[in-house]
Amino acid sequence: MVKADESTGTTTLNQTQPTPAWIKFNDDEKIALGGSWTIGEAERLDKELVVIHDGDGSRIIINISELERLDTAGAWLIHRTRKALEAAGAEVMLDGMNPEYEVLLNEVAANDQSYPPLLHTNQLAEWIARTGEVTLDTLRRARDFIGFFGLIVLTLLRTVTHPTRLRLVPMIHHIEHVGLNALPIVGLISFLIGVVIAYQGANQMKQFGAEVFVVNLIAVSILREIGILLAAIVIAGRSGSAFPAHIGAMKEHEEIDAKRTLGLDPIEVLVLPRLLALVLAMPLLAFFADMMGLLGGGLMSWVVLDIKPDQFVERLGNAVSLWSFWIGIIKAPFFAVIIALVGCYEGFQVGGSAESVGHMTSRSVVEAIFLVIVVDAAFSIFFQLVGV
Amino acid sequence: MSDEAVIRVKNLRTGFGDHVVHDGLNLEVLRGEVLGVVGGSGAGKSVLLHSIIGLQKPWAGSIEVLGQRVLDLEPPERAALEARWGVLFQDGALFSSLTVAQNIQVPLKEHLNLNQRLMDEIAMIKIGLVGLPPESGRLYPAELSGGMRKRAGLARALALDPEILFLDEPTSGLDPIGAARFDALIKRLRKTLGFTVFMVTHDLDSLNAICDRIAVLADKQVVAIGDMKQMLNERHPWVVEYFHGPRARSAGL
Ligand SMILES: Nc1ncnc2c1ncn2[C@@H]1O[C@H](COP(=O)(O)OP(=O)(O)OP(=O)(O)O)[C@@H](O)[C@H]1O
Ligand SMILES: [Mg+2]
């Protein structure tokens, strides 16, 4: 017994398919197929070919002499139907075959391979397994990162003993990119934060009649923390994304393997110039951020509190020691190392797909900012303990 | 094969900056034929292919595919036309974040509305058609060899059973057995699906085995077009060197 949806052959004409495909059930044992059995009709035919068979071993004749067009999808549907009928115990004959359709049907039959089934497992077990995987993965990454760090130190030592190996030109190129080109944005942000601190500080200090201490507030916060943090965060955003994207794209195109086979050490060629450039540029950026922050704060103090620039500078000298300034600058090379190492490390982790470049890039930025802030907090505690 | 042209390129002029790649190029591809396009490295074969499928805007000239001017089409018409051709790029150009099966389903999803099971079935047939093992359906492009990537790219190009198949060096990177099987596959499928093939190739065996006509790109133009017999009688120096060189001899021409 064969049954199907009776709405057969009533769909509207499709512009690329001249005649819609149809299925006719002449009696229990005869099916006629016609029209164009192409992929555009496949969804409809798939639904109509709901074949039910009671398995009485009868003969079924499928007549395809009225087919106008047949493509792989159509041939697959015919083949699948035939297979289902045969599996149910019927003997199926294809009638009205022409040589072209035969080639296609044979082609499809020869490539009838089922999609490898996905393994379904217990949800809870899967969740536990995933937790374990993530944990192991994190530990493995931590180990890899330490290994990477060691590799860099070794390469650095080698470069110190053979200074000619240092790639000066790429390094200067990177100093321009990570340092010089970042000046406007670092300067602007620091200036604006200086303005904000002065303004908010002034409002608070006024309540105690201690307006002049705004200068202390500005000096200490900008010099010790804000200047270097702003510089580091901007650089983590800029270089922390540029490094992994660039190295990752190189890795994708086997450029890194090519370098290796040409006797170039990727660490020496790619990582060291970036690392050294950042270590050199970061203190300068931090200094610039400090100055711009003080400038913003000074201007705002002048506007809202009428503290003249000469008063501001004089007050500045009394408010902070030179140490406050150095505490900010000392942190710069550490932050530079963090950003460069994380960025380059994640760049080397790229593999497989364009997606992974994006993934590693965003991971690098997040990790760099996180580590910068953690290390900054550690520095605060350290300076507290040593009492500066 | 009929005399109706499915691709008609007239007076094409393309280039980059001040580097002219094609100048006054004319070419017609007839319905149902397999046209092999040959030419030296850098002769502009890939650029010609990209121009025909509308990825590269020519400086001058007209390009008609299936009776429509590719460059003047509105987006919806263009999409409809694109559903009627399949392209295999020189390096496969698979989507790296999708599995092979998902890659094949991209055109199905884009142009049709099929249920997932049917799409899986169709993808598996195409995977088999191009000679990949069923397991490869679940692999990502990065996990395939160069030759397998090429086959997966072909499977994606065949997804919609296109009327025109554009192939950029389909057999390079395949082993000789795989290349011969690929030729046989194109021959077989063409008989049933009746598609036209525009094939850039350096493979003399392929040219000999499946191409009805060969177009030679040199001096920024098509300098010769015709079947293998005609090519062997051509006088253009590049054509002579190509079809009478040592490799041609070993290919039995
Ligand atoms: N995006 C591009 N920018 C600039 N020039 C290009 C670009 N793409 C191609 N070209 C130039 O156009 C010319 C033709 O290139 P095309 O890729 O078409 O060569 P081809 O014939 O396919 O060679 P091959 O057999 O090596 O693949 C070359 O000289 C190439 O330098
Ligand atoms: Mg090319």
Side-chain angles (χ1 to χ4, degrees), chain B residues 172-228:
Chain B
S172 74
L174 295 189
D175 60 277
I177 302 171
R181 223 181 263 150
F182 177 87
D183 289 344
L185 170 73
I186 295 291
K187 217 171 180 170
R188 242 182 11 246
L189 286 179
R190 177 169 72 110
K191 215 185 271 166
T192 42
L193 302 175
F195 52 55
T196 309
V197 182
F198 179 101
M199 174 165 73
V200 174
T201 186
H202 290 300
D203 187 341
L204 281 158
D205 291 313
S206 287
L207 284 174
N208 205 13
I210 55 171
C211 292
D212 301 306
R213 290 198 306 157
I214 298 162
V216 182
L217 231 67
D219 310 334
K220 307 186 171 72
Q221 296 184 340
V222 175
V223 293
I225 186 162
D227 61 17
M228 191 53 101

Side-chain angles (χ1 to χ4, degrees), chain B residues 204-205 207-208 228 232 242-245 247-253:
Chain B
L204 281 158
D205 291 313
L207 284 174
N208 205 13
M228 191 53 101
L232 294 173
Y242 189 88
F243 289 99
H244 296 276
R247 281 176 171 260
R249 268 197 294 284
S250 59
L253 297 179

Side-chain angles (χ1 to χ4, degrees), chain A residues 285-299:
Chain A
L285 280 170
F287 175 75
F288 182 64
D290 285 352
M291 293 307 119
M292 291 304 281
L294 290 182
L295 184 66
L299 274 179

Side-chain angles (χ1 to χ4, degrees), chain B residues 16 19 21 39-48 90 168-169 200 202:
Chain B
F16 301 91
H19 172 48
V21 178
S41 252
K45 304 179 294 295
S46 300
V47 172
L48 175 63
Q90 191 159 3
D168 198 350
E169 303 195 16
V200 174
H202 290 300

